[in-house]
Amino acid sequence: MTPPYRVGDELPPLEIPVTRTLIVAGAIASRDYQDVHHDAASAREKGSPDIFMNILTTNGLVGRYITDHFGPTAVLRKVAIRLGAPNYPGDVLRLTGRITELRTADASSDEVVDAIEAVVQVTGGNGIGRHVTGTVAVTLPEPSVGRAGA
């Protein structure tokens, strides 16, 4: 049986339009009421050309990227990101990823049985540069022997 994933595998890119609505909704959903995430005039007063996405929204989008790829049974274990260039309305965030490590999942966890953990290096860029870099650890149930598609 061929393992479903290998170190070095590239995840397909995900392009997300950065809209004003996405920025504001992400800030509201994460209870980040800083004016730079919803009030363009206030953002400009503080030196930004427009409102910009908060880190919690970026964190959620990175998590979505991983779970969209690995499926609904994937469990995010650790998401560690660092922001760079801001995401402004009208741009596109392009996320890419590469598996850097595969290991047996923590056997002490009652909820994880016969699973592997993948570590994925994620980057995301936009029109002005690198927006996010990070590492995500995700638990993946191992495919059953004889399961369709395995």
Side-chain angles (χ1 to χ4, degrees), residues 74-91:
V75 178
L76 298 175
R77 294 295 176 187
K78 181 178 181 183
V79 179
I81 63 171
R82 174 170 280 181
L83 293 184
N87 265 337
Y88 293 117
D91 212 335

Side-chain angles (χ1 to χ4, degrees), residues 83-143:
L83 293 184
N87 265 337
Y88 293 117
D91 212 335
V92 174
L93 172 61
R94 184 174 194 272
L95 295 169
T96 59
R98 185 174 60 80
I99 297 174
T100 59
E101 186 179 348
L102 292 170
R103 56 186 176 226
T104 303
D106 181 5
S108 66
S109 172
D110 291 337
E111 64 186 87
V112 178
V113 178
D114 291 328
I116 57 172
E117 185 172 82
V119 177
V120 181
Q121 179 68 42
V122 177
T123 59
N126 58 34
I128 58 175
R130 177 80 42 93
H131 171 67
V132 63
T133 56
T135 304
V136 179
V138 57
T139 300
L140 313 168
E142 290 190 61

